[in-house]
Amino acid sequence: MAYGFCSLRPTLTSLFSSLAPTLHWRSSSLPISRALSASTVPMSSSSFTWDDVLQIGRKESASTQNPSSDLTEFLAKIDRCNRGSEKLAEFIPFVVDEQIVGYIHKGFTEYLREFHDIFTFSKNGSVSVVGGDYVTLNLMFEKPEDRTRAVAGVIKILGDKGIIPGIRNELCPVKPSFHAPAVFSLERAAAPYFGLKGYGVQMNGYVERDGQKSLWIGKRSLTKPTYPGMLDHLVAGGLPHGISCGDNLVKECEEEAGISKVIADRAIPVGAVSYMDIDQYCFKRDVLFCYDLKLSEDFVPINQDGEVESFKLIPVAQVANVIRETGFFKANCSLVIIDFLFRHGFIRPESSGYLDLYRSLRNGDCS
């Protein structure tokens, strides 16, 4: 997620209309007013310490003992990843090879119009698009590698101007769905500005001792360009171009927690969560592939790439309380951990709003 990078303010507004048949946010009947007012800790903060985390986690309450007792705060965290449905009509499709691969804000297209030899703006063309308008690439770029080079030059210019901040020099595939072939590759920091489908892996590393499950939680380095100092999974990472989910997880395990391939290969794929979030010019349409890895009681993670400040092993019920009461976690981590709570029986069907919360974990197009 790159909320902090979406600093441009949109200049065009309109009623939700033209994209509604294509993209859908699921809404829930759970009341969220209590969720939004119950937290006593700021919703977005990276200045906290592990002592703060543990103190809140251990806070005595009915919900600490039973994370299933009140689900409204969990819903508020999921809603945090699914903002802006009313702004869908401010975006137009990005089309390549007669397939919709993304959505671009009308305001942001003004920057792209300067590169008329790269981008083409069409209306009522051969592609069936609600509303008629869409952005595509010049037809002279027939091969994926040609498109990648051409668009990379545009992204570099926009990055140098600060229009697309946080360039990572890491490519992600551009494609209409997960198993479709990539039509080209794009700088990862630019992906939200083109409304691409994004994919990543996130792993719950847990330990079971005396019948109690605990999760290893990481605290991101203060030097990270995104979400510095916030809580994160033991292992997580975006899915770059040309690597499988399993191989990417093994790579991230070694880099982020010093977990060997022999151990990482034991991680179990357990499904996926998804969300759609609009923040000014950025449109995130992400799918996170979830993994569980049961670790030995004597395991201690050691970060290798400098991106994690430290780790703590925290009982699952206390982790649930931290998610419920604070904004300490990087926002999309909450979805994966709430999914863990469902699968490991911490959230039960007897709870009011159980199915609403479960459905909200897979918002939008999970393809």
Side-chain angles (χ1 to χ4, degrees), residues 92-148:
I92 61 175
F94 178 37
V95 175
V96 181
D97 278 349
E98 299 188 356
Q99 305 173 92
I100 296 176
V101 296
Y103 295 89
I104 304 177
H105 193 277
K106 294 174 183 176
F108 187 76
T109 63
E110 296 306 310
Y111 296 108
L112 302 183
R113 289 182 188 276
E114 298 178 13
F115 304 93
H116 51 82
D117 54 335
I118 309 293
F119 294 97
T120 300
F121 293 80
S122 301
K123 186 177 181 66
N124 298 323
S126 61
V127 181
S128 177
V129 173
V130 175
D133 296 332
Y134 62 92
V135 184
T136 188
L137 296 177
N138 192 311
L139 293 178
M140 67 180 290
F141 305 115
E142 297 181 355
K143 298 179 180 179
E145 55 267 30
D146 295 334
R147 297 165 183 158
T148 298

Side-chain angles (χ1 to χ4, degrees), residues 2 5-6 91 94 101-104 108 155 164-165 167-168 170-174 185-199 281-286:
F5 286 165
C6 301
F91 291 77
F94 178 37
V101 296
Y103 295 89
I104 304 177
F108 187 76
I155 301 306
I164 299 179
I167 299 298
R168 306 182 187 187
E170 178 182 328
L171 295 176
C172 64
V174 179
S185 298
L186 181 72
E187 158 65 38
R188 183 178 174 187
Y193 292 91
F194 287 80
L196 304 184
K197 292 299 294 287
Y199 302 93
Y281 284 175
C282 294
F283 190 176
K284 298 277 288 183
R285 301 190 299 135
D286 287 357

Side-chain angles (χ1 to χ4, degrees), residues 82-363:
N82 291 280
R83 302 168 298 172
S85 60
E86 72 281 1
K87 299 178 181 178
L88 275 174
E90 298 177 14
F91 291 77
I92 61 175
F94 178 37
V95 175
V96 181
D97 278 349
E98 299 188 356
Q99 305 173 92
I100 296 176
V101 296
Y103 295 89
I104 304 177
H105 193 277
K106 294 174 183 176
F108 187 76
T109 63
E110 296 306 310
Y111 296 108
L112 302 183
R113 289 182 188 276
E114 298 178 13
F115 304 93
H116 51 82
D117 54 335
I118 309 293
F119 294 97
T120 300
F121 293 80
S122 301
K123 186 177 181 66
N124 298 323
S126 61
V127 181
S128 177
V129 173
V130 175
D133 296 332
Y134 62 92
V135 184
T136 188
L137 296 177
N138 192 311
L139 293 178
M140 67 180 290
F141 305 115
E142 297 181 355
K143 298 179 180 179
E145 55 267 30
D146 295 334
R147 297 165 183 158
T148 298
R149 283 193 293 270
V151 178
V154 174
I155 301 306
K156 184 180 187 309
I157 293 172
L158 296 180
D160 290 344
K161 291 181 177 180
I163 295 169
I164 299 179
I167 299 298
R168 306 182 187 187
N169 296 313
E170 178 182 328
L171 295 176
C172 64
V174 179
K175 48 188 180 179
S177 61
F178 182 64
H179 288 291
V183 295
F184 74 98
S185 298
L186 181 72
E187 158 65 38
R188 183 178 174 187
Y193 292 91
F194 287 80
L196 304 184
K197 292 299 294 287
Y199 302 93
V201 295
Q202 297 207 15
M203 189 185 82
N204 301 291
Y206 71 98
V207 173
E208 192 163 4
R209 180 184 294 123
D210 298 328
Q212 176 178 265
K213 292 177 181 176
S214 298
L215 281 166
W216 277 105
I217 303 297
K219 195 172 191 296
R220 294 162 69 89
S221 168
L222 290 173
T223 63
K224 287 279 288 181
T226 55
Y227 313 105
M230 300 192 75
L231 300 184
D232 206 336
H233 287 288
L234 175 64
V235 172
L239 190 63
H241 178 61
I243 186 170
S244 69
C245 288
D247 289 344
N248 192 44
L249 185 72
V250 169
K251 177 180 74 71
E252 296 290 347
C253 277
E254 171 60 31
E255 292 175 357
E256 297 193 350
I259 299 173
S260 69
K261 184 179 186 302
V262 172
I263 296 175
D265 280 339
R266 300 175 191 164
I268 300 172
V270 292
V273 298
S274 62
Y275 58 93
M276 297 197 301
D277 182 80
I278 291 175
D279 181 15
Q280 300 181 44
Y281 284 175
C282 294
F283 190 176
K284 298 277 288 183
R285 301 190 299 135
D286 287 357
V287 177
L288 305 177
F289 294 99
C290 306
Y291 289 77
D292 284 356
L293 177 61
K294 186 175 182 179
L295 297 159
S296 63
E297 294 184 21
D298 60 355
F299 168 81
V300 177
I302 301 174
N303 180 246
Q304 306 294 314
D305 61 7
E307 295 189 356
V308 182
E309 177 185 284
S310 55
F311 297 95
K312 285 287 183 184
L313 184 64
I314 305 175
V316 173
Q318 295 183 21
V319 174
N321 210 36
V322 173
I323 289 177
R324 192 193 334 265
E325 298 292 334
T326 77
F328 291 171
F329 272 94
K330 186 166 72 77
N332 64 358
C333 294
S334 296
L335 276 69
V336 179
I337 294 176
I338 292 170
D339 180 68
F340 182 92
L341 297 177
F342 272 105
R343 293 184 292 98
H344 289 260
F346 289 89
I347 297 177
R348 297 183 176 277
E350 293 76 17
S351 301
S352 175
Y354 179 91
L355 291 177
D356 288 309
L357 184 64
Y358 184 80
R359 282 191 296 267
S360 69
L361 291 171
R362 293 155 187 89
N363 193 17

